Amino acid sequence: MNEILTLTRQILEDGSLIRLVLGNKRKKSVPYGKVVIRPFAGRDGVLYQAEYVYENKVLHENLDPEELLEQIAFLMENSFKQANFFTADADYQVLAAKPENPRIIRKDPTMERQGLSHNQIKKYVIPDGEPVDFLVRLGVMNESGKVHAKYYGKFRQINRFLEITRDVLDALPEARTIRIIDFGCGKAYLTFGLYYYLKKQLGRDVQIIGLDLKEDVIRFCSNVAEDLGYEGLQFQIGDIAEYQGTEADMVVTLHACDTATDYALLNAKKWGASVILSVPCCQHELFRQLKNPLHEPMLRQGILKDRFCAILTDTFRQLKLEEWGYDVSMIEFTSLEHTAKNIMIRAVRTGKPKEKAPEQIRELKEYWHVDPTIVREDI
Ligand SMILES: C[S@@+](CC[C@H](N)C(=O)[O-])C[C@H]1O[C@@H](n2cnc3c(N)ncnc32)[C@H](O)[C@@H]1O
């Protein structure tokens, strides 16, 4: 099986796959006669459509590269004895009566790619296959630029974040240094990504601070920034709620737990930051407060109450931002299959407060009997 997966991984990483057909059932009980896999350009990079061909119907499933690898391993182990890869460079016939000992026959290519160009496949801000110093240093890719399979999700997340940043560039200062703070930066994959994109790729003048409670993490990130010569990228130990440092034009806070997000947003408001990118998580605060007898059936189920609290908390954040004069969009950060913490609050300052927001906040507070940090601390 390893040989089959190595071949598949290599083809996926080359971006050369045109079509893959799995067939020749291993046993009668396999419900589909064959599975045909084709790449297509998804929003965050290339995805694969798997078409399961049954006797009387066809079902489709979209998979990312990692999921595809897993699915191929499963199907070759359990369902099919043969795989035919059609790639831009060669055709490969894999005969795997025994999956652990397959025969792989390479022939000249017989198919040409149509529709999906190589550029569409490699539409990442940071492409796969080209070495990038910070990604090598953080263990995401090897020295030749190959992203390690285990880090593909992280690699995609960094790229998605940079695409979102690209969309808000116009709101950031053009004629002076862009000041950015990443609250709760953790190991700082995204902070480094931001620096690399703005400074190294776009040549913008940036001053970026990554703040986190964890001393060891900050020490590690500071060493990496220094080793890479990333001037203008600093890491500091500190609590978001008590941060008294320099102002920022862009406030980033990704997966800072519970009310830490609120303090990040309150800082952004205080400074009149032009852009805020925030992915909240662990919105537990309202769980202890929420009361409304009308909704007792939902609230008695912990999991429903928990999910609803997250939505309600983020709704208060949205309204507050609107009250402060931000245009707010809730967007999908990464695919929901990878994490439930996938909603990003993207706020761009317009300076035009939404008049209805304060009243809506009051009504929601009263209706749900809650007093969220973002409202209480906004004084
Ligand atoms: C889940 S990690 C996310 C790291 C990074 N932002 C990312 O998305 O990859 C959350 C980080 O926020 C930090 N954090 C949580 N509360 C904080 C606070 N009040 N002040 C500073 N950092 C905080 C934690 O130490 C942790 O490193």
Side-chain angles (χ1 to χ4, degrees):
M1 183 54 68
N2 281 349
E3 269 186 74
I4 303 175
L5 292 181
T6 304
L7 174 69
T8 312
R9 188 171 286 123
Q10 178 199 322
I11 291 171
L12 299 190
E13 286 175 0
D14 288 350
S16 63
L17 185 70
I18 298 170
R19 186 185 296 186
L20 166 60
V21 183
L22 308 181
N24 194 359
K25 286 196 211 184
R26 205 167 275 291
K27 49 195 175 214
K28 271 197 178 150
S29 57
V30 175
Y32 21 75
K34 64 175 177 176
V35 177
V36 182
I37 292 155
R38 298 179 186 84
F40 68 97
R43 196 186 55 186
D44 299 341
V46 71
L47 294 175
Y48 298 86
Q49 184 190 64
E51 183 179 84
Y52 297 80
V53 183
Y54 293 72
E55 204 172 315
N56 300 318
K57 65 178 175 183
V58 171
L59 294 181
H60 293 104
E61 182 183 29
N62 291 343
L63 302 164
D64 69 21
E66 271 174 79
E67 292 164 336
L68 179 64
L69 276 168
E70 271 175 35
Q71 188 62 351
I72 288 173
F74 174 81
L75 291 171
M76 291 308 289
E77 189 80 49
N78 300 290
S79 310
F80 297 113
K81 292 193 250 179
Q82 187 169 333
N84 286 80
F85 291 83
F86 300 92
T87 81
D89 311 315
D91 290 357
Y92 298 89
Q93 186 179 48
V94 178
L95 303 169
K98 292 180 185 155
E100 71 283 1
N101 189 20
R103 218 175 124 218
I104 300 180
I105 305 158
R106 185 184 195 278
K107 293 189 181 154
D108 287 341
T110 56
M111 276 194 189
E112 269 183 42
R113 191 200 305 283
Q114 285 173 351
L116 189 71
S117 73
H118 208 60
N119 282 345
Q120 271 175 297
I121 285 186
K122 294 195 162 205
K123 74 195 248 302
Y124 285 148
V125 176
I126 299 178
D128 186 0
E130 288 170 27
V132 170
D133 53 5
F134 83 89
L135 289 173
V136 174
R137 182 67 195 268
L138 296 181
V140 175
M141 54 171 56
N142 67 17
E143 302 248 323
S144 33
K146 201 159 134 191
V147 175
H148 298 298
K150 161 167 146 200
Y151 278 95
Y152 216 86
K154 183 51 83 181
F155 179 70
R156 207 173 28 245
Q157 188 195 48
I158 295 168
N159 268 293
R160 171 81 181 127
F161 177 63
L162 299 182
E163 279 166 22
I164 294 169
T165 304
R166 182 170 59 194
D167 291 344
V168 297
L169 275 182
D170 284 351
L172 293 170
E174 263 180 57
R176 62 165 173 81
T177 305
I178 305 171
R179 301 159 308 170
I180 300 174
I181 183 147
D182 183 356
F183 281 127
C185 62
K187 206 177 161 193
Y189 297 93
L190 299 156
T191 334
F192 279 104
L194 202 50
Y195 181 90
Y196 180 83
Y197 173 54
L198 292 172
K199 177 88 177 180
K200 303 271 176 185
Q201 287 192 330
L202 300 184
R204 304 289 292 266
D205 197 6
V206 289
Q207 199 72 48
I208 303 183
I209 294 173
L211 186 94
D212 205 286
L213 288 170
K214 294 183 194 145
E215 211 179 313
D216 54 338
V217 162
I218 290 301
R219 199 177 324 115
F220 169 80
C221 294
S222 301
N223 288 340
V224 175
E226 199 182 321
D227 292 350
L228 298 177
Y230 277 19
E231 243 174 70
L233 175 60
Q234 289 168 27
F235 293 92
Q236 295 174 6
I237 302 164
D239 186 332
I240 304 169
E242 285 155 22
Y243 184 71
Q244 298 291 340
T246 43
E247 299 187 355
D249 304 298
M250 176 168 168
V251 169
V252 174
T253 173
L254 305 170
H255 309 115
C257 304
D258 204 4
T259 55
T261 295
D262 298 308
Y263 292 105
L265 299 183
L266 287 158
N267 273 319
K269 178 227 174 182
K270 188 169 72 187
W271 303 324
S274 313
V275 172
I276 302 167
L277 299 180
S278 170
V279 178
C281 74
C282 313
Q283 298 97 325
H284 299 314
E285 184 187 28
L286 301 192
F287 196 90
R288 297 176 294 273
Q289 303 178 7
L290 201 66
K291 264 191 257 135
N292 188 320
L294 273 177
H295 297 275
E296 190 276 335
M298 171 179 77
L299 300 183
R300 92 172 102 99
Q301 296 296 343
I303 189 162
L304 297 184
K305 184 175 174 187
D306 190 53
R307 300 239 173 121
F308 179 71
C309 284
I311 291 172
L312 187 61
T313 306
D314 291 341
T315 305
F316 278 111
R317 291 167 175 162
Q318 172 194 327
L319 287 169
K320 266 303 187 188
L321 286 160
E322 288 176 348
E323 182 189 314
W324 299 337
Y326 284 88
D327 182 34
V328 181
S329 314
M330 298 281 181
I331 59 176
E332 203 177 55
F333 180 38
T334 49
S335 150
L336 195 56
E337 292 124 55
H338 296 108
T339 170
K341 302 162 186 173
N342 76 329
I343 292 181
M344 172 180 274
I345 303 175
R346 184 184 64 195
V348 176
R349 192 170 156 73
T350 60
K352 293 183 201 136
K354 281 230 167 101
E355 276 174 26
K356 278 190 190 162
E359 183 55 25
Q360 288 173 325
I361 292 167
R362 253 192 310 279
E363 283 170 2
L364 271 183
K365 271 184 64 180
E366 209 175 291
Y367 186 79
W368 290 107
H369 296 268
V370 291
D371 187 18
T373 298
I374 191 81
V375 179
R376 194 180 61 248
E377 297 285 317
D378 180 31
I379 34 174

